[in-house]
Amino acid sequence: MSYFADIAPIAFEGPESTNPLAFRHYDPSEVVGGKTMAEHLRFAVAYWHSFAWEGGDPFGGRTFERPWFGDGMAQAKAKADAAFDLFGILGQPFFCFHDADVRPEGADFAEQTRNLGEIVDYFASKMEATGTKLLWGTANLFSHRRYMAGAATNPDPDVFAYAAATLKTCIDATHRLGGENYVLWGGREGYETLLNTDLARERQQAGRMLSMVVDYAKKIGFGGTILIEPKPQEPTKHQYDYDVATVYSFLKDFGLEGEVKVNIEQGHAILAGHSFEHEIALAASLGIFGSIDMNRNDYQSGWDTDQFPNNVPEVALAFYEILKAGGFTTGGTNFDAKLRRQSLDPEDLVAAHVGGMDVCAAGFKRAWAMLQDGTLEAERAARYAGWDTPGAAAMLTGGTLGSIHDRVVSEGINPAPKSGRQERLENLVNRFLG
Ligand code: XUL
Ligand code: CO
């Protein structure tokens, strides 16, 4: 019997529905601008928090009692059965996983690899039977104690080697399952104290590892996108992939800015002191926007709470930037999100995803309407209209400080400050998002 027992597949019932387990905004087949909502949003359920997390916090251990908890192959398969049951209930097109979420740990590298292979075979048959696809795979190079001082950036070359070998197996697994992306989150790539850390050396190691990942993916014909997921702190005090701007400079340094994009997570953007939409807009402007993890932080806590999204205007501003960037290509909307530790019931897991998907659909539609309306973009363009004059445009092409100086003098240029009209724009946005 399914872990989700009598919970039926979730239906779209429209905005007036009061059924807590129905979609009110997400109708996967609704066509918006020539694409269905399912195609626009490309939802993915993350295996990690939804099936492997036990409900612990720094002050207490496991609160959840899942029948699949334990480290054997039978439990790993029971977990996969429950996961695919949830996918059937939600009807989302994709899922995501870390190797450590899905397979028993194994005593050594050989056993770890065999275990992964067995589960990948199991996934392949379930994916074939259900049509659920893989948005991304990734390696967990942060939970095991061997990685406590980093994976690629570890001072011990044997840990670097073990991480490289594990990456190879996880890229193979992702490729075998037709994954559309491969994610690298550098969970322990950072440091606790500069007193024992050689920053320059660790950066070179990380650059070398990423270059090898890109080369290997090409060699085996993996057609998906390689994504780095930025995060500024937690678990280490200082994470190297701090934010989108930091990741871009790292990619440029190693000549990989055309090969690797970013997977941006709301909570990570907030921890870095940015907004989610800032990170998306910056990535898009740099040509490295890839995918999102749509899990939010609590604004009162200084750590990563990984909650399901529940704020429609906030989500709408993020989708507005994604739509401006042309929407997702290989990326999608992944819920790398956790239940609260008191949410014990199977229904809580379903309700969390239903709510998250519905909030995203509502936000997406508002963002779409605001973009179609065009007033906000017209206002933004008008603010820069002065650059369309030949004299202004020339400054950015052939201009020199001398020639510009002469033009200021001869034309008597004397700039008059203009309003940024922020309040007017905020009112405009609230017409759509409020
Ligand atoms: C950690 C996090 C990860 C990555 C994949 O904060 O977000 O789940 O998404 O390793
Ligand atoms: Co994430």
Side-chain angles (χ1 to χ4, degrees), residues 46 48-49 98 136 183 185 229-231 263-266 268 292-295 304 306 334-337:
W48 189 22
H49 292 136
H98 298 87
W136 48 259
V183 163
W185 171 58
E229 183 169 322
K231 186 173 183 181
N263 183 41
I264 303 173
E265 181 164 317
Q266 194 268 7
H268 299 180
I292 59 170
D293 278 359
M294 185 54 106
N295 29 301
D304 191 6
D306 277 326
N334 176 43
F335 297 108
D336 200 13

mmCIF file of all heavy atoms in Angstrom, residues 46 48-49 98 136 183 185 229-231 263-266 268 292-295 304 306 334-337, ligand 2:
data_model
loop_
_atom_site.group_PDB
_atom_site.id
_atom_site.type_symbol
_atom_site.label_atom_id
_atom_site.label_comp_id
_atom_site.label_asym_id
_atom_site.label_seq_id
_atom_site.Cartn_x
_atom_site.Cartn_y
_atom_site.Cartn_z
ATOM 1 N N ALA A 46 12.168 17.792 -5.044
ATOM 2 C CA ALA A 46 13.518 17.406 -4.611
ATOM 3 C C ALA A 46 13.434 16.236 -3.638
ATOM 4 O O ALA A 46 12.698 16.274 -2.662
ATOM 5 C CB ALA A 46 14.212 18.581 -3.938
ATOM 6 N N TRP A 48 15.729 15.234 -1.637
ATOM 7 C CA TRP A 48 16.493 15.410 -0.401
ATOM 8 C C TRP A 48 15.619 15.695 0.815
ATOM 9 O O TRP A 48 15.466 14.875 1.710
ATOM 10 C CB TRP A 48 17.543 16.523 -0.588
ATOM 11 C CG TRP A 48 18.519 16.619 0.550
ATOM 12 C CD1 TRP A 48 18.828 15.633 1.441
ATOM 13 C CD2 TRP A 48 19.307 17.745 0.917
ATOM 14 N NE1 TRP A 48 19.769 16.082 2.338
ATOM 15 C CE2 TRP A 48 20.078 17.363 2.041
ATOM 16 C CE3 TRP A 48 19.449 19.036 0.410
ATOM 17 C CZ2 TRP A 48 20.972 18.238 2.659
ATOM 18 C CZ3 TRP A 48 20.338 19.901 1.030
ATOM 19 C CH2 TRP A 48 21.091 19.508 2.133
ATOM 20 N N HIS A 49 15.038 16.912 0.848
ATOM 21 C CA HIS A 49 14.277 17.266 2.045
ATOM 22 C C HIS A 49 12.951 16.514 2.125
ATOM 23 O O HIS A 49 12.474 16.198 3.209
ATOM 24 C CB HIS A 49 14.028 18.771 2.075
ATOM 25 C CG HIS A 49 15.280 19.546 2.282
ATOM 26 N ND1 HIS A 49 15.591 20.674 1.573
ATOM 27 C CD2 HIS A 49 16.325 19.328 3.112
ATOM 28 C CE1 HIS A 49 16.758 21.131 1.958
ATOM 29 N NE2 HIS A 49 17.226 20.331 2.886
ATOM 30 N N HIS A 98 20.220 14.067 -4.893
ATOM 31 C CA HIS A 98 21.647 13.850 -4.604
ATOM 32 C C HIS A 98 21.861 12.344 -4.555
ATOM 33 O O HIS A 98 20.977 11.613 -4.073
ATOM 34 C CB HIS A 98 22.044 14.331 -3.212
ATOM 35 C CG HIS A 98 21.891 15.779 -2.925
ATOM 36 N ND1 HIS A 98 20.729 16.328 -2.466
ATOM 37 C CD2 HIS A 98 22.791 16.786 -2.967
ATOM 38 C CE1 HIS A 98 20.906 17.616 -2.250
ATOM 39 N NE2 HIS A 98 22.150 17.933 -2.544
ATOM 40 N N TRP A 136 17.492 17.567 -12.535
ATOM 41 C CA TRP A 136 18.940 17.508 -12.307
ATOM 42 C C TRP A 136 19.312 16.451 -11.284
ATOM 43 O O TRP A 136 18.536 16.101 -10.417
ATOM 44 C CB TRP A 136 19.551 18.844 -11.939
ATOM 45 C CG TRP A 136 18.958 19.730 -10.888
ATOM 46 C CD1 TRP A 136 18.185 20.837 -11.120
ATOM 47 C CD2 TRP A 136 19.126 19.687 -9.449
ATOM 48 N NE1 TRP A 136 17.853 21.448 -9.928
ATOM 49 C CE2 TRP A 136 18.427 20.780 -8.881
ATOM 50 C CE3 TRP A 136 19.799 18.830 -8.583
ATOM 51 C CZ2 TRP A 136 18.375 21.036 -7.514
ATOM 52 C CZ3 TRP A 136 19.754 19.085 -7.210
ATOM 53 C CH2 TRP A 136 19.057 20.172 -6.689
ATOM 54 N N VAL A 183 23.794 19.648 -11.265
ATOM 55 C CA VAL A 183 24.024 20.741 -10.303
ATOM 56 C C VAL A 183 25.251 20.473 -9.435
ATOM 57 O O VAL A 183 25.519 19.332 -9.043
ATOM 58 C CB VAL A 183 22.770 20.946 -9.417
ATOM 59 C CG1 VAL A 183 23.088 21.754 -8.163
ATOM 60 C CG2 VAL A 183 21.672 21.644 -10.216
ATOM 61 N N TRP A 185 26.500 22.096 -5.936
ATOM 62 C CA TRP A 185 26.443 23.013 -4.797
ATOM 63 C C TRP A 185 27.639 22.684 -3.916
ATOM 64 O O TRP A 185 27.763 21.556 -3.444
ATOM 65 C CB TRP A 185 25.142 22.874 -4.005
ATOM 66 C CG TRP A 185 25.199 23.657 -2.730
ATOM 67 C CD1 TRP A 185 25.425 25.007 -2.621
ATOM 68 C CD2 TRP A 185 25.096 23.159 -1.393
ATOM 69 N NE1 TRP A 185 25.453 25.381 -1.295
ATOM 70 C CE2 TRP A 185 25.254 24.262 -0.530
ATOM 71 C CE3 TRP A 185 24.878 21.902 -0.846
ATOM 72 C CZ2 TRP A 185 25.207 24.145 0.856
ATOM 73 C CZ3 TRP A 185 24.831 21.773 0.535
ATOM 74 C CH2 TRP A 185 24.983 22.890 1.369
ATOM 75 N N GLU A 229 25.334 26.226 -7.828
ATOM 76 C CA GLU A 229 24.323 26.847 -6.968
ATOM 77 C C GLU A 229 25.010 27.737 -5.930
ATOM 78 O O GLU A 229 25.664 27.230 -5.012
ATOM 79 C CB GLU A 229 23.498 25.747 -6.277
ATOM 80 C CG GLU A 229 22.380 26.298 -5.433
ATOM 81 C CD GLU A 229 21.423 25.214 -4.966
ATOM 82 O OE1 GLU A 229 21.131 24.281 -5.739
ATOM 83 O OE2 GLU A 229 20.968 25.306 -3.814
ATOM 84 N N PRO A 230 24.879 29.068 -6.068
ATOM 85 C CA PRO A 230 25.570 29.952 -5.117
ATOM 86 C C PRO A 230 24.921 29.931 -3.727
ATOM 87 O O PRO A 230 23.719 29.731 -3.596
ATOM 88 C CB PRO A 230 25.407 31.360 -5.727
ATOM 89 C CG PRO A 230 24.824 31.179 -7.086
ATOM 90 C CD PRO A 230 24.144 29.846 -7.101
ATOM 91 N N LYS A 231 25.757 30.137 -2.715
ATOM 92 C CA LYS A 231 25.272 30.273 -1.324
ATOM 93 C C LYS A 231 26.394 30.928 -0.520
ATOM 94 O O LYS A 231 27.550 30.528 -0.657
ATOM 95 C CB LYS A 231 24.932 28.898 -0.746
ATOM 96 C CG LYS A 231 24.285 28.955 0.636
ATOM 97 C CD LYS A 231 23.810 27.570 1.096
ATOM 98 C CE LYS A 231 23.115 27.664 2.430
ATOM 99 N NZ LYS A 231 22.651 26.354 2.934
ATOM 100 N N ASN A 263 22.193 27.856 -10.682
ATOM 101 C CA ASN A 263 20.915 27.447 -10.092
ATOM 102 C C ASN A 263 20.733 28.340 -8.868
ATOM 103 O O ASN A 263 21.495 28.250 -7.908
ATOM 104 C CB ASN A 263 20.973 25.973 -9.679
ATOM 105 C CG ASN A 263 19.650 25.491 -9.120
ATOM 106 O OD1 ASN A 263 18.593 25.841 -9.641
ATOM 107 N ND2 ASN A 263 19.696 24.693 -8.062
ATOM 108 N N ILE A 264 19.735 29.223 -8.930
ATOM 109 C CA ILE A 264 19.604 30.261 -7.893
ATOM 110 C C ILE A 264 18.491 29.875 -6.915
ATOM 111 O O ILE A 264 17.397 29.515 -7.323
ATOM 112 C CB ILE A 264 19.281 31.621 -8.546
ATOM 113 C CG1 ILE A 264 20.365 31.974 -9.568
ATOM 114 C CG2 ILE A 264 19.175 32.710 -7.498
ATOM 115 C CD1 ILE A 264 20.057 33.210 -10.386
ATOM 116 N N GLU A 265 18.806 29.979 -5.629
ATOM 117 C CA GLU A 265 17.823 29.619 -4.593
ATOM 118 C C GLU A 265 17.440 30.873 -3.805
ATOM 119 O O GLU A 265 18.308 31.637 -3.386
ATOM 120 C CB GLU A 265 18.440 28.561 -3.671
ATOM 121 C CG GLU A 265 17.500 28.111 -2.574
ATOM 122 C CD GLU A 265 17.962 26.809 -1.917
ATOM 123 O OE1 GLU A 265 18.394 25.881 -2.645
ATOM 124 O OE2 GLU A 265 17.897 26.732 -0.689
ATOM 125 N N GLN A 266 16.126 31.046 -3.579
ATOM 126 C CA GLN A 266 15.642 32.257 -2.903
ATOM 127 C C GLN A 266 16.347 32.467 -1.568
ATOM 128 O O GLN A 266 16.860 33.533 -1.284
ATOM 129 C CB GLN A 266 14.112 32.171 -2.706
ATOM 130 C CG GLN A 266 13.452 33.493 -2.335
ATOM 131 C CD GLN A 266 13.333 33.735 -0.827
ATOM 132 O OE1 GLN A 266 13.847 32.981 -0.021
ATOM 133 N NE2 GLN A 266 12.665 34.814 -0.459
ATOM 134 N N HIS A 268 19.140 31.392 -0.444
ATOM 135 C CA HIS A 268 20.563 31.688 -0.553
ATOM 136 C C HIS A 268 20.780 33.149 -0.951
ATOM 137 O O HIS A 268 21.709 33.805 -0.470
ATOM 138 C CB HIS A 268 21.229 30.763 -1.576
ATOM 139 C CG HIS A 268 21.138 29.307 -1.245
ATOM 140 N ND1 HIS A 268 21.687 28.330 -2.049
ATOM 141 C CD2 HIS A 268 20.572 28.646 -0.205
ATOM 142 C CE1 HIS A 268 21.457 27.137 -1.510
ATOM 143 N NE2 HIS A 268 20.772 27.312 -0.407
ATOM 144 N N ILE A 292 16.045 27.435 -10.965
ATOM 145 C CA ILE A 292 15.831 27.965 -9.604
ATOM 146 C C ILE A 292 15.456 26.854 -8.621
ATOM 147 O O ILE A 292 14.832 25.872 -8.980
ATOM 148 C CB ILE A 292 14.739 29.067 -9.539
ATOM 149 C CG1 ILE A 292 13.383 28.576 -10.029
ATOM 150 C CG2 ILE A 292 15.187 30.308 -10.291
ATOM 151 C CD1 ILE A 292 12.233 29.562 -9.762
ATOM 152 N N ASP A 293 15.880 27.088 -7.358
ATOM 153 C CA ASP A 293 15.359 26.337 -6.217
ATOM 154 C C ASP A 293 14.439 27.311 -5.502
ATOM 155 O O ASP A 293 14.879 28.309 -4.935
ATOM 156 C CB ASP A 293 16.490 25.880 -5.284
ATOM 157 C CG ASP A 293 17.155 24.606 -5.776
ATOM 158 O OD1 ASP A 293 16.725 24.081 -6.816
ATOM 159 O OD2 ASP A 293 18.106 24.151 -5.113
ATOM 160 N N MET A 294 13.136 26.995 -5.546
ATOM 161 C CA MET A 294 12.128 27.947 -5.087
ATOM 162 C C MET A 294 11.814 27.723 -3.620
ATOM 163 O O MET A 294 10.671 27.525 -3.230
ATOM 164 C CB MET A 294 10.891 27.790 -5.984
ATOM 165 C CG MET A 294 9.780 28.773 -5.746
ATOM 166 S SD MET A 294 10.313 30.464 -5.835
ATOM 167 C CE MET A 294 9.608 30.944 -7.422
ATOM 168 N N ASN A 295 12.856 27.680 -2.767
ATOM 169 C CA ASN A 295 12.564 27.559 -1.347
ATOM 170 C C ASN A 295 13.062 28.786 -0.632
ATOM 171 O O ASN A 295 14.143 29.279 -0.897
ATOM 172 C CB ASN A 295 13.142 26.297 -0.721
ATOM 173 C CG ASN A 295 14.374 25.823 -1.381
ATOM 174 O OD1 ASN A 295 14.343 25.548 -2.564
ATOM 175 N ND2 ASN A 295 15.451 25.747 -0.655
ATOM 176 N N ASP A 304 19.469 29.030 6.802
ATOM 177 C CA ASP A 304 18.726 28.555 5.640
ATOM 178 C C ASP A 304 17.564 27.683 6.115
ATOM 179 O O ASP A 304 17.784 26.551 6.521
ATOM 180 C CB ASP A 304 19.707 27.739 4.784
ATOM 181 C CG ASP A 304 19.165 27.412 3.424
ATOM 182 O OD1 ASP A 304 18.082 27.906 3.088
ATOM 183 O OD2 ASP A 304 19.850 26.665 2.694
ATOM 184 N N ASP A 306 14.843 26.884 4.258
ATOM 185 C CA ASP A 306 14.367 26.019 3.159
ATOM 186 C C ASP A 306 12.863 25.762 3.193
ATOM 187 O O ASP A 306 12.410 24.626 3.020
ATOM 188 C CB ASP A 306 15.088 24.654 3.203
ATOM 189 C CG ASP A 306 16.448 24.706 2.538
ATOM 190 O OD1 ASP A 306 16.591 25.443 1.554
ATOM 191 O OD2 ASP A 306 17.357 24.005 3.004
ATOM 192 N N ASN A 334 12.465 24.049 -8.943
ATOM 193 C CA ASN A 334 12.639 22.922 -8.024
ATOM 194 C C ASN A 334 12.274 23.325 -6.600
ATOM 195 O O ASN A 334 12.644 24.417 -6.156
ATOM 196 C CB ASN A 334 14.100 22.457 -8.065
ATOM 197 C CG ASN A 334 14.376 21.353 -7.059
ATOM 198 O OD1 ASN A 334 13.583 20.426 -6.919
ATOM 199 N ND2 ASN A 334 15.488 21.451 -6.341
ATOM 200 N N PHE A 335 11.565 22.463 -5.906
ATOM 201 C CA PHE A 335 11.274 22.694 -4.483
ATOM 202 C C PHE A 335 12.309 21.958 -3.643
ATOM 203 O O PHE A 335 12.099 20.816 -3.254
ATOM 204 C CB PHE A 335 9.865 22.206 -4.133
ATOM 205 C CG PHE A 335 8.801 22.956 -4.861
ATOM 206 C CD1 PHE A 335 8.084 22.364 -5.878
ATOM 207 C CD2 PHE A 335 8.539 24.281 -4.543
ATOM 208 C CE1 PHE A 335 7.110 23.070 -6.564
ATOM 209 C CE2 PHE A 335 7.568 24.997 -5.226
ATOM 210 C CZ PHE A 335 6.854 24.388 -6.246
ATOM 211 N N ASP A 336 13.405 22.646 -3.365
ATOM 212 C CA ASP A 336 14.471 22.081 -2.526
ATOM 213 C C ASP A 336 14.090 22.371 -1.071
ATOM 214 O O ASP A 336 14.898 22.836 -0.285
ATOM 215 C CB ASP A 336 15.768 22.784 -2.914
ATOM 216 C CG ASP A 336 17.014 22.031 -2.513
ATOM 217 O OD1 ASP A 336 16.896 20.862 -2.160
ATOM 218 O OD2 ASP A 336 18.092 22.634 -2.553
ATOM 219 N N ALA A 337 12.814 22.157 -0.751
ATOM 220 C CA ALA A 337 12.192 22.745 0.434
ATOM 221 C C ALA A 337 11.860 21.692 1.489
ATOM 222 O O ALA A 337 11.601 20.540 1.181
ATOM 223 C CB ALA A 337 10.923 23.480 0.012
HETATM 224 CO CO CO B 2 19.188 24.275 -3.311
#
